[in-house]
């Protein structure tokens, strides 16, 4: 999600278009700047906002409350409890909405597949630029489809896992073996 191109559709694989009208999270995540006299560019902004201003120093949360609500929503939906899934998802949207009437309306439960798509979309915009997207796509089984569609060199059966450092394999006395595709 770190591509930097001049058009919105190309930037971060269409992430900017995922934000709904009036969603304040968009302007916390991205800023529009002049790349030249005639072109505007989107720049990632979230880490600047979260940082302390000093290069290399920032307090990044490991888990955020919004992520816990989204994890719960996804689990509830998978277990067939759409009402709990919607309630948890809507807590995240209500916080993001603040006091802006008509922005980010509550999502209502229609069916499991539609709720799943709504939760995945919310994860994408809420956790944008927080290094969750790749692992979400792997967990959802969509990594190859989504990443390859954006020209990323993703190899199914290999890139779902990271290589194990040889030093650790050697230190294990042969207990650890290299993940598939990294030999």
């Amino acid at each position: 999600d770190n591509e930097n191109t001049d058009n919105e559709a190309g930037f971060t694989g269409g992430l900017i278009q995922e934000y709904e009208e009036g969603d304040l999270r968009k302007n916390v995540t991205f800023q529009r700047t002049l790349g030249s006299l005639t072109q505007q560019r989107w720049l990632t902004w979230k880490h600047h906002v979260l940082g302390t201003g000093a290069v290399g120093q920032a307090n990044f949360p490991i888990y955020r409350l919004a992520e816990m609500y989204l994890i719960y929503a996804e689990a509830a939906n998978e277990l067939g409890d759409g009402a709990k899934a919607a309630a948890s998802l809507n807590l995240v949207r209500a916080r993001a909405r603040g006091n802006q009437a008509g922005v980010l309306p509550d999502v209502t439960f229609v069916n499991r597949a539609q709720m799943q798509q709504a939760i995945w979309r919310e994860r994408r915009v809420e956790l944008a630029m927080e290094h969750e997207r790749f692992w979400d796509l792997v967990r959802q089984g969509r990594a190859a489809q989504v990443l390859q569609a954006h020209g990323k060199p993703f190899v199914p059966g290999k890139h779902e896992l990271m290589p194990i450092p040889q030093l650790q394999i050697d230190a294990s006395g042969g207990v650890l073996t290299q993940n598939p595709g990294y030999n």
Side-chain angles (χ1 to χ4, degrees):
D1 281 347
N2 292 331
E3 298 172 55
N4 194 3
T5 62
D6 289 329
N7 72 43
E8 291 184 12
F11 186 72
T12 69
L15 173 60
I16 289 173
Q17 288 71 39
E18 291 292 324
Y19 288 91
E20 296 172 47
E21 186 67 35
D23 190 340
L24 295 176
R25 296 175 293 189
K26 179 179 177 181
N27 291 330
V28 172
T29 306
F30 303 102
Q31 286 292 304
R32 207 185 252 296
T33 64
L34 282 178
S36 70
L37 294 177
T38 60
Q39 294 180 330
Q40 288 190 338
R41 297 180 68 101
W42 284 100
L43 300 174
T44 59
W45 189 248
K46 187 180 267 186
H47 293 144
H48 175 76
V49 172
L50 290 174
T52 62
V55 175
Q57 294 182 7
N59 262 340
F60 293 106
I62 303 298
Y63 284 104
R64 297 194 294 114
L65 183 58
E67 185 173 11
M68 294 297 105
Y69 285 136
L70 292 169
I71 289 169
Y72 183 84
E74 194 167 351
N77 190 54
E78 289 296 313
L79 293 172
D81 195 336
K84 284 183 181 177
S88 189
L89 172 62
N90 288 326
L91 286 170
V92 175
R93 294 176 63 81
R95 191 257 325 136
R97 171 174 52 248
N99 59 5
Q100 298 182 95
V103 174
L104 298 173
D106 282 354
V107 172
T108 55
F109 179 73
V110 179
N111 64 45
R112 184 178 164 269
Q114 288 176 329
M115 181 58 70
Q116 181 182 62
Q117 292 301 312
I119 294 165
W120 288 353
R121 181 176 190 222
E122 199 68 28
R123 283 189 66 82
R124 187 167 188 210
V125 297
E126 177 66 32
L127 304 172
M129 312 315 270
E130 295 183 27
H131 311 291
E132 299 289 335
R133 177 86 170 142
F134 174 81
W135 299 113
D136 280 350
L137 292 173
V138 168
R139 180 177 48 78
Q140 296 160 0
R142 304 183 308 138
Q145 171 195 352
V146 172
L147 296 173
Q148 290 172 354
H150 291 288
K152 305 296 181 192
F154 185 90
V155 177
K158 175 182 180 182
H159 289 142
E160 292 89 348
L161 301 172
M162 302 294 251
I164 299 172
Q166 188 61 48
L167 185 64
Q168 297 303 315
I169 293 172
D170 294 343
S172 76
V175 174
L176 294 178
T177 58
Q178 189 55 269
N179 284 326
Y182 291 103
N183 294 329

